[in-house]
Amino acid sequence: MILIDANNVHKTFGGQPVLRGLSFTVERGEHIGLVGANGAGKTTLLKILTGAETPDEGGVSVPSSISVGLLGQFPKYPDGTKGSDVIGAFEYETDFTRVCRGLRLDKTLLNGDMSKLSGGEQTRVNLARLLLKHTDLLLLDEPTNHLDLRVCEWLEEYMSGYKRTVVAVSHDRYFLDKFARRIIEINGGKAEFYSGNYSFYAEEREARRVERERIYDKEKREYDKLSASATQMHAWAGKNAKMHRRAFAMEKRAARILKTEKPQTERLLKGSFSETGFYDDDVYRLEGISKSFGERKILDDITLDIRGGERVALLGDNGSGKTTLLKIMLGELEPDGGRVWRGPSVKTAYLPQQVTFEDTSRNLVDTLLYELDVTPTTARNRLAAYHFTGDKVFDPISALSGGERSRLKLCIITARDANLLLLDEPTNHLDIASREWVESALDGYEQAMLFVSHDRYFIEQFATRIWWLEDGIIRDFRGGYDEFTAARKNEARKEKQNTPRRETVQAQSESPLQRQRRIEQEANRLEKEIEQAEIELFDIGERIKAASYDAAALVGLLEEQSELETKRDGLYKQLESM
């Protein structure tokens, strides 16, 4: 069954055409990744699908009998709206438990005012609402934005087994690889289709570009040959009308040959780093670093070092202290204890998460003249290498998007001598093409790098070492992101499998009669504890039924139920093993 039928959709904003005859269909149960450059019309299309926007021409058909849910990038709620108010009713408690655990929604968050929650917290609450409603058609606009890595991993696993229809706009290439079964790219206002995930799309897109270039070059050679012959024939014809007619016919034939548009090749950033050679192994050393805010300890006695040429990914949940550690390393924040040692010849370049400039009224050329003390020609050449060309270089910084500001800052810091690069979410706000541009610029950097990122594709490409920050402590893992994830899952599996042995030296040395009595006493104790756990579970079950429409209270009860079930199951295992 076709759930979406878009036919010849046109949409213009401010006189600029965004969608130009876009057509596609989506079948029930499909998982579609919707990709394209920023401004290509992806969010506009989602709004058209929900009826929030109407096309200027063409139409979109969605059966009225199906339910449609949209996860917008920037949802707004009136003051006083709680997270539990957003979720509302749901059908199955097991679904509620699974979704709330996976999205890490606790009582505090569900009781919190939505208008005061962070972007990531709002996204998690809204995702829970949509997933628990069992919407027929789910439209997601950047669902992994602001989410912790572990929540992203859970969402990927959940969505890969999701039976309903999903169309997701995302720049998260890992998410698209795990979730999408088909990619629709909006390019030039029209749709191109790829029957696979992101990796398939990236490979197939390049293959198609190469083939289009081959066909275009062949057509262009034939066109040029016929055009030149026609021009020569006109020159020879003089007053010979018949020969002129033959030349005109040849020109018409040449015009019919050009059927393929010239492929638009995405240029990679040409910018390269100005590096100061670093020959000492020790770049940075953290010795006993501690930091607290109030009663909360963010960093607890951290001792680590970075050596020349290493690429370290600093990962962890939101609010775990990653940016705090970067600021301590930069000297912008003093630790409560410990010290930071930096090699005497180390020169640091820093790309912050929130890019700011001293004067946003300056245009791009003047900004480079001020920041780098270069000639106007050098400034324009450097800007061109980072895709700032034409009149764009005379725009004020205030007119730039978040992604453009990050690109401009990268353009500046790469011009400075640096042998340690500190990056805080370098691909935030960037579309896939821009992320690839940044990666191409960083790829040639051979000195030490420490970066914070939620972009797992970026992490896997660059990291040779993982620092996982949790509860104030850093776990140091030497390897890439995929290796780290596999190791973490393997450890969790082993921990689950390993149960403590109940036999002790004392038990092994006791007499058969003593052992019999001890086992009977232990069995009686376990049976009483199991009976008590069952009574408590029955009581909690009744309280859960009474609180079925109070999401915040239900989270706490379900957590308590889960803990008791785990305890009871453990008691049963002990009893069975006797």
Side-chain angles (χ1 to χ4, degrees), residues 294-433:
E295 295 183 359
R296 188 183 171 208
K297 182 159 267 188
I298 299 291
L299 305 172
D300 187 5
D301 193 24
I302 290 174
T303 299
L304 288 164
D305 59 27
I306 301 175
R307 304 174 77 80
E310 286 190 318
R311 293 177 169 186
V312 183
L314 176 58
L315 311 179
D317 296 336
N318 291 339
S320 61
K322 302 183 297 294
T323 299
T324 298
L325 182 59
L326 283 185
K327 288 183 176 180
I328 288 174
M329 293 179 67
L330 287 163
E332 295 179 6
L333 195 63
E334 285 294 322
D336 297 335
R339 74 183 189 103
V340 176
W341 178 90
R342 184 172 69 175
S345 59
V346 170
K347 292 187 178 180
T348 303
Y350 176 50
L351 182 69
Q353 185 173 160
Q354 299 297 328
V355 174
T356 59
F357 291 88
E358 184 180 305
D359 186 352
T360 57
S361 65
R362 286 194 188 110
N363 65 37
L364 275 62
V365 172
D366 288 343
T367 298
L368 257 69
L369 296 179
Y370 175 79
E371 294 273 358
L372 300 178
D373 191 23
V374 294
T375 66
T377 301
T378 300
R380 293 203 63 167
N381 288 341
R382 186 152 194 87
L383 287 167
Y386 284 79
H387 288 212
F388 295 112
T389 57
D391 292 338
K392 184 75 174 179
V393 300
F394 300 114
D395 284 352
I397 290 176
S398 58
L400 299 182
S401 67
E404 288 172 329
R405 291 189 186 204
S406 294
R407 188 157 23 114
L408 179 61
K409 181 66 78 173
L410 193 63
C411 174
I412 292 168
I413 66 173
T414 55
R416 295 172 174 152
D417 290 344
N419 44 38
L420 174 63
L421 195 58
L422 299 179
L423 308 172
D424 196 354
E425 298 288 358
T427 59
N428 253 13
H429 315 296
L430 302 183
D431 57 29
I432 289 175

Side-chain angles (χ1 to χ4, degrees), residues 247-543:
F248 285 132
M250 197 176 289
E251 286 172 342
K252 287 181 181 178
R253 211 169 88 208
R256 288 195 296 270
I257 288 173
L258 283 179
K259 298 176 183 177
T260 307
E261 291 184 17
K262 184 176 182 179
Q264 298 296 313
T265 304
E266 290 287 359
R267 295 182 302 142
L268 295 178
L269 289 180
K270 296 177 183 176
S272 59
F273 281 83
S274 176
E275 300 177 19
T276 297
F278 190 75
Y279 304 105
D280 195 303
D281 281 341
D282 293 325
V283 178
Y284 252 76
R285 191 180 307 132
L286 309 173
E287 297 178 352
I289 298 295
S290 297
K291 185 67 182 178
S292 297
F293 292 100
E295 295 183 359
R296 188 183 171 208
K297 182 159 267 188
I298 299 291
L299 305 172
D300 187 5
D301 193 24
I302 290 174
T303 299
L304 288 164
D305 59 27
I306 301 175
R307 304 174 77 80
E310 286 190 318
R311 293 177 169 186
V312 183
L314 176 58
L315 311 179
D317 296 336
N318 291 339
S320 61
K322 302 183 297 294
T323 299
T324 298
L325 182 59
L326 283 185
K327 288 183 176 180
I328 288 174
M329 293 179 67
L330 287 163
E332 295 179 6
L333 195 63
E334 285 294 322
D336 297 335
R339 74 183 189 103
V340 176
W341 178 90
R342 184 172 69 175
S345 59
V346 170
K347 292 187 178 180
T348 303
Y350 176 50
L351 182 69
Q353 185 173 160
Q354 299 297 328
V355 174
T356 59
F357 291 88
E358 184 180 305
D359 186 352
T360 57
S361 65
R362 286 194 188 110
N363 65 37
L364 275 62
V365 172
D366 288 343
T367 298
L368 257 69
L369 296 179
Y370 175 79
E371 294 273 358
L372 300 178
D373 191 23
V374 294
T375 66
T377 301
T378 300
R380 293 203 63 167
N381 288 341
R382 186 152 194 87
L383 287 167
Y386 284 79
H387 288 212
F388 295 112
T389 57
D391 292 338
K392 184 75 174 179
V393 300
F394 300 114
D395 284 352
I397 290 176
S398 58
L400 299 182
S401 67
E404 288 172 329
R405 291 189 186 204
S406 294
R407 188 157 23 114
L408 179 61
K409 181 66 78 173
L410 193 63
C411 174
I412 292 168
I413 66 173
T414 55
R416 295 172 174 152
D417 290 344
N419 44 38
L420 174 63
L421 195 58
L422 299 179
L423 308 172
D424 196 354
E425 298 288 358
T427 59
N428 253 13
H429 315 296
L430 302 183
D431 57 29
I432 289 175
S434 297
R435 291 178 187 214
E436 290 172 348
W437 295 339
V438 170
E439 287 163 0
S440 69
L442 292 173
D443 197 45
Y445 183 71
E446 297 180 353
Q447 304 298 321
M449 184 193 303
L450 174 68
F451 60 90
V452 172
S453 181
H454 286 99
D455 184 342
R456 289 156 296 165
Y457 206 93
F458 180 90
I459 298 167
E460 175 59 20
Q461 182 170 346
F462 288 101
T464 59
R465 189 175 173 189
I466 305 291
W467 285 359
W468 181 267
L469 178 56
E470 186 174 25
D471 297 328
I473 298 169
I474 285 182
R475 176 187 173 183
D476 187 9
F477 179 87
R478 296 185 182 275
Y481 178 75
D482 285 346
E483 293 173 297
F484 172 71
T485 303
R488 201 174 57 182
K489 287 180 179 177
N490 190 44
E491 286 170 7
R493 199 162 42 242
K494 283 182 179 178
E495 188 176 333
K496 191 175 181 181
Q497 290 171 349
N498 289 340
T499 53
R501 292 184 175 272
R502 303 190 67 254
E503 295 293 334
T504 64
V505 174
Q506 181 182 356
Q508 291 169 3
S509 62
E510 62 191 358
S511 68
L513 183 58
Q514 289 174 321
R515 186 172 185 277
Q516 176 80 19
R517 287 175 181 169
R518 181 178 58 77
I519 289 174
E520 288 175 359
Q521 290 172 353
E522 183 70 7
N524 288 335
R525 181 187 67 80
L526 289 170
E527 286 170 356
K528 287 179 182 178
E529 288 192 29
I530 288 169
E531 183 180 355
Q532 181 60 33
E534 294 287 7
I535 292 171
E536 292 178 19
L537 280 168
F538 177 81
D539 178 58
I540 287 177
E542 294 299 306
R543 288 156 63 194

Side-chain angles (χ1 to χ4, degrees), residues 2-31:
I2 294 177
L3 289 195
I4 301 174
D5 186 4
N7 182 34
N8 196 35
V9 174
H10 290 257
K11 187 67 179 178
T12 299
F13 284 108
Q16 293 295 320
V18 177
L19 303 178
R20 310 181 186 190
L22 182 141
S23 299
F24 66 93
T25 59
V26 175
E27 299 275 351
R28 182 184 292 276
E30 279 199 287
H31 286 184

Side-chain angles (χ1 to χ4, degrees), residues 144-163:
T144 62
N145 264 12
H146 313 295
L147 296 185
D148 294 336
L149 288 174
R150 284 189 287 200
V151 176
C152 287
E153 290 170 355
W154 177 86
L155 183 63
E156 284 164 1
E157 185 179 345
Y158 186 90
M159 296 305 296
S160 63
Y162 197 69
K163 302 300 182 185

